[in-house]
Amino acid sequence: MSKSYRVAILGATGAVGTELLELLENRAFPVAELKLLASERSVGRSLRFNGENILVEPVSDRAFENVDIVLASAGGSTSKTWASVAVEKGAVVIDNSSAFRMNPQVPLVVPEVNPQAAANHQGIIANPNCTTILMTVAVWPLHQIKPVQRIVASTYQSASGAGARAMAEVKTQTSAILQGQRPVAEVLPYPLAFNLFPHNSPLNDLGYCEEEMKMVNETRKIFSSQQIKITATCVRVPVLRAHSEAINLEFATPFSVDAAKEILTSAPGVKLVEDWKNNHFPMPIEATGQDEVLVGRIRQDISHPCGLELWLCGDQIRKGAALNAIQIAELLVEKNLLKPLVTSH
Ligand code: A2P
C-alpha cells in the first residue's frame, strides 16, 4: 500500500525550483498532484514532470487549496507572504528561504544531522542556508565523537546561490570580457566573472555579513549547541553552481586525522575525496550534480594541537537547497508527519 501527496513548488521556475522538480521525479517522490507556482512573469510557461507539461500558475490564495506539501524557494519576502496562507489551508511548508530559520517555533533541519527536529513542526520546516547545510553534514559526524569547540570557516560560493539570473549573468560577463567588452552587473553588485568579492549580504555592527551570521546562528540551532564558537568569512567566486569551504575545527583534545577520515568515510551524505599522490581533492566542478558533500584535505592544524583542517565542496542547488528540502519531505512521509491524500494498491 502506498500513499501519495499533493505537492506545490513555490518558485518553480528558479534555479532551486527546477532542481526540486527534477528530484521529485528522479527520487520517485509519491506525488499525487503537482502545482508549479511562480510570479506573474512566468504565466504561460510550462515545465515537464514525469512526461507531462505542467502549466506554471501565478501564486495566489487559491493556489494552496488542496495541497499537502509546499516546497518554497521564491525568496524570503514571498515566503513571509504565502507560508502562513499555505499552512492555514492545511499544507506543510518546507521553506528554503531565511524567513523562518531562526524562529524558535520552526525546526531547522538537515536530515543527516537532526531529523528528530522535524517531528516538532507546526506547519513550517526551514531548510538551512546552503553553506550551513554543507558544513554541518561534514562536521556533525566528528562532533558526535568529540564535541567541536570552535569552527573557523571560509567559503568560496558560486553564482547559483544568488539564483538562476546570477548564473546567467556570470556567463554573459565571461563572454563579454573575452570579447574585450566591459562586463555588466545587474543581478550581482559587481562583475563576478574573472573576479570575486566578499558576500554582499547586509553587514552588522561587528562587520559580519548576514551570510556569515547564518553560518554561526543556524549551525548552533541545528547542533542544539549555543556554546560552539563559530566565525566565518563568506566570499562569492566565479563558479557556476557548487560551493567550497575551508573549515578549521578546534576540539578540547587532539582529534587524529586517521580517526576523522575513518568517521567521514562512513558518514551519511559525505564522500571522502582524497588522492594525496595526485593532489586531487574536492572541486566544485566534480561536486556539481552530486548528492554528497565531497570532503578532503583532512589534516592536522599545525598551529594548534587540537585543531583539524578540512576542505569541502557541495552542490549548492542540490544538497545546499533542493535535495535537503526533498529529504525533509521524505522524512515527513517516512515518519508519517503528513496527511495522506490518495491510497493506492
Ligand atoms: P519568476 O521566474 O516568475 O520570476 P531564482 O532564485 O533562481 O532567482 O528563482 C526565484 C524563483 O522565485 C522563481 O521561480 C521566481 O519566479 C519566483 N519568484 C520570485 N518572486 C516571486 C513572487 N513575488 N511571487 C512568486 N514567485 C516569485
Side-chain angles (χ1 to χ4, degrees):
M1 191 190 288
S2 64
K3 299 166 181 172
S4 50
Y5 301 85
R6 301 163 297 187
V7 179
I9 301 179
L10 174 56
T13 51
V16 174
T18 48
E19 194 76 12
L20 284 166
L21 192 64
E22 192 186 312
L23 287 168
L24 282 176
E25 179 168 334
N26 292 350
R27 292 170 74 92
F29 188 84
V31 177
E33 276 171 45
L34 183 62
K35 282 190 186 180
L36 303 179
L37 309 175
S39 77
E40 294 283 347
R41 290 181 289 270
S42 298
V43 171
R45 281 188 65 187
S46 64
L47 298 169
R48 273 190 95 65
F49 178 70
N50 279 343
E52 274 181 52
N53 287 325
I54 302 183
L55 268 179
V56 177
E57 298 172 44
V59 61
S60 69
D61 274 50
R62 289 195 52 204
F64 297 108
E65 279 167 11
N66 304 317
V67 170
D68 302 304
I69 306 169
V70 177
L71 300 163
S73 193
S77 63
T78 309
S79 286
K80 278 184 187 148
T81 308
W82 296 109
S84 56
V85 175
V87 172
E88 257 169 45
K89 292 188 184 291
V92 174
V93 177
I94 300 169
D95 185 39
N96 195 46
S97 82
S98 60
F100 306 105
R101 288 182 190 146
M102 296 313 295
N103 181 331
Q105 314 296 323
V106 175
L108 183 64
V109 177
V110 178
E112 291 86 345
V113 177
N114 61 339
Q116 73 289 346
N120 300 325
H121 81 81
Q122 294 170 29
I124 302 176
I125 297 179
N127 212 32
N129 175 253
C130 47
T131 47
T132 308
I133 294 177
L134 303 177
M135 181 169 82
T136 55
V137 167
V139 174
W140 178 252
L142 303 174
H143 182 67
Q144 294 310 283
I145 304 300
K146 262 182 210 192
V148 65
Q149 300 204 319
R150 180 167 181 251
I151 304 175
V152 181
S154 303
T155 72
Y156 305 71
Q157 299 183 218
S158 59
S160 59
R165 289 178 59 231
M167 295 169 79
E169 182 167 277
V170 175
K171 290 183 192 168
T172 312
Q173 289 171 350
T174 304
S175 64
I177 292 171
L178 291 175
Q179 288 167 43
Q181 295 159 6
R182 278 174 69 86
V184 177
E186 283 170 347
V187 181
L188 293 164
Y190 309 105
L192 188 58
F194 301 101
N195 190 26
L196 55 80
F197 45 83
H199 199 281
N200 59 292
S201 49
L203 297 165
N204 69 13
D205 292 344
L206 299 171
Y208 280 74
C209 70
E210 241 174 35
E211 185 81 358
E212 291 159 354
M213 292 314 296
K214 286 175 186 173
M215 292 189 83
V216 174
N217 296 324
E218 294 181 19
T219 302
R220 286 175 172 164
K221 179 169 175 178
I222 296 161
F223 280 16
S224 291
S225 170
Q226 291 306 312
Q227 293 84 46
I228 303 181
K229 295 188 181 90
I230 306 173
T231 182
T233 300
C234 294
V235 177
R236 187 77 74 195
V237 297
V239 166
L240 276 183
R241 69 167 276 172
H243 288 356
S244 305
E245 301 179 23
I247 311 279
N248 181 277
L249 302 170
E250 193 181 314
F251 301 90
T253 54
F255 203 130
S256 94
V257 169
D258 286 346
K261 285 185 187 178
E262 198 182 320
I263 291 157
L264 289 171
T265 301
S266 56
V270 172
K271 184 173 171 191
L272 200 64
V273 176
E274 287 199 318
D275 179 351
W276 290 87
K277 206 163 138 231
N278 295 304
N279 210 334
H280 179 231
F281 300 105
M283 288 184 273
I285 211 163
E286 290 184 353
T288 295
Q290 289 215 34
D291 288 351
E292 292 85 10
V293 178
L294 311 186
V295 182
R297 293 205 75 209
I298 300 164
R299 60 204 191 280
Q300 166 73 49
D301 174 354
I302 54 169
S303 74
H304 197 292
C306 305
L308 271 187
E309 289 278 358
L310 61 85
W311 169 254
L312 66 84
C313 296
D315 189 320
Q316 180 274 324
I317 302 179
R318 223 171 165 92
K319 182 58 188 168
L323 174 63
N324 200 75
I326 299 284
Q327 287 174 314
I328 293 172
E330 289 170 348
L331 189 66
L332 296 179
V333 168
E334 188 193 313
K335 302 287 178 203
N336 216 9
L337 298 166
L338 289 164
K339 284 175 280 168
L341 164 73
V342 178
T343 304
S344 58
H345 293 273

